[in-house]
Amino acid sequence: HEGTREAHYFPPVLNFKPMFNHNKDFYPTPAPVIDRMIAGLNLKGATVWEPEAGKCDIVNRLINEGAEVIACEKDPDLVKLVKNRCPVIAEDMLTVTSDMISHVKYVIMNPPFSEDEKHINHVWDIAPPGCKIVALCNQATIDNGYSAGRKRLLASIEIHGMSESLGDCFGEAERKTGVQVAMVTLVKPGANTYDTEFEGFFIDEEEE
């Protein structure tokens, strides 16, 4: 509803360029990439966790779509901003435990590309049954599974999801990088999985 979207609108946050100098993993998510990440998701009224909220580009979009957002953010400057937008359940997402996010329907995340597999694997480990995880990562993480962490992530993708190449989607971003980016989508098996992800897929068997 357009009126609802306006009521939740947050203006863009400007003048964050000085932070680029001391935070090598601070790459705000471009709006077109967020569009790809949330396409087809039923966000209205859903609880969504954003594990690396940054300056709230994803958080603000989720709120505008009607989601109930919880977040994490480690940067001491940025966490003050995030707390003005939504509840912060922990500053370091790697300290979050399963009981803290047991009510979450979606996880939408842009983890640091320097350790993206570590962050996505942690979310996978603690996500509740039926939760859908959409995460950006370095394409090299998908293409070169040389470490134990990358092998774990690739196994999860093979069994429980998919990956999609987004290419150089930060090439014209607020903070540019030439990193080739992939989008990983995973669905945690268990309760509600078939209702949310596979509705209509199965054909009813004939009654005996």
Side-chain angles (χ1 to χ4, degrees):
H1 187 275
E2 192 62 26
T4 302
R5 289 171 65 89
E6 292 180 356
H8 290 99
Y9 174 73
F10 291 113
V13 179
L14 305 177
N15 300 323
F16 273 83
K17 289 186 178 180
M19 292 185 182
F20 295 165
N21 297 326
H22 74 266
N23 189 339
K24 64 183 179 63
D25 287 315
F26 180 48
Y27 288 92
T29 314
V33 177
I34 300 175
D35 289 342
R36 296 282 292 275
M37 297 177 78
I38 68 172
L41 302 185
N42 183 16
L43 294 170
K44 184 71 173 179
T47 300
V48 186
W49 178 32
E50 217 288 40
E52 288 99 4
K55 68 180 184 65
C56 292
D57 294 271
I58 292 176
V59 167
N60 287 344
R61 178 61 185 278
L62 294 172
I63 292 173
N64 288 342
E65 296 291 332
E68 300 290 334
V69 183
I70 57 176
C72 297
E73 175 53 48
K74 286 183 67 174
D75 189 292
D77 295 310
L78 293 172
V79 72
K80 300 173 186 177
L81 170 68
V82 180
K83 287 180 177 178
N84 288 327
R85 300 294 198 258
C86 66
V88 173
I89 60 173
E91 293 187 3
D92 184 353
M93 61 83 66
L94 294 173
T95 68
V96 174
T97 54
S98 58
D99 58 299
M100 298 167 67
I101 61 163
S102 60
H103 58 306
V104 165
K105 184 175 182 180
Y106 301 113
V107 180
I108 310 296
M109 60 190 295
N110 176 11
F113 290 161
S114 61
E115 51 181 7
D116 45 20
E117 72 273 18
K118 180 179 180 180
H119 287 226
I120 300 171
N121 284 335
H122 178 67
V123 171
W124 175 256
D125 287 341
I126 66 173
C131 181
K132 187 171 189 175
I133 302 161
V134 183
L136 301 182
C137 70
N138 192 330
Q139 182 68 48
T141 301
I142 305 297
D143 295 340
N144 302 313
Y146 64 86
S147 68
R150 290 187 177 188
K151 289 175 181 176
R152 277 197 63 206
L153 176 58
L154 291 174
S156 297
I157 293 170
E158 182 177 0
I159 300 170
H160 300 291
M162 60 175 289
S163 67
E164 175 186 357
S165 176
L166 302 184
D168 182 18
C169 61
F170 281 74
E172 300 299 326
E174 181 178 354
R175 187 184 186 193
K176 297 175 175 60
T177 175
V179 171
Q180 297 294 304
V181 178
M183 183 173 73
V184 172
T185 303
L186 300 169
V187 180
K188 195 71 176 282
N192 297 325
T193 299
Y194 297 111
D195 291 338
T196 57
E197 298 301 320
F198 301 104
E199 184 176 359
F201 179 81
F202 297 102
I203 299 174
D204 292 335
E205 296 181 1
E206 294 182 2
E207 295 183 3
E208 294 184 0

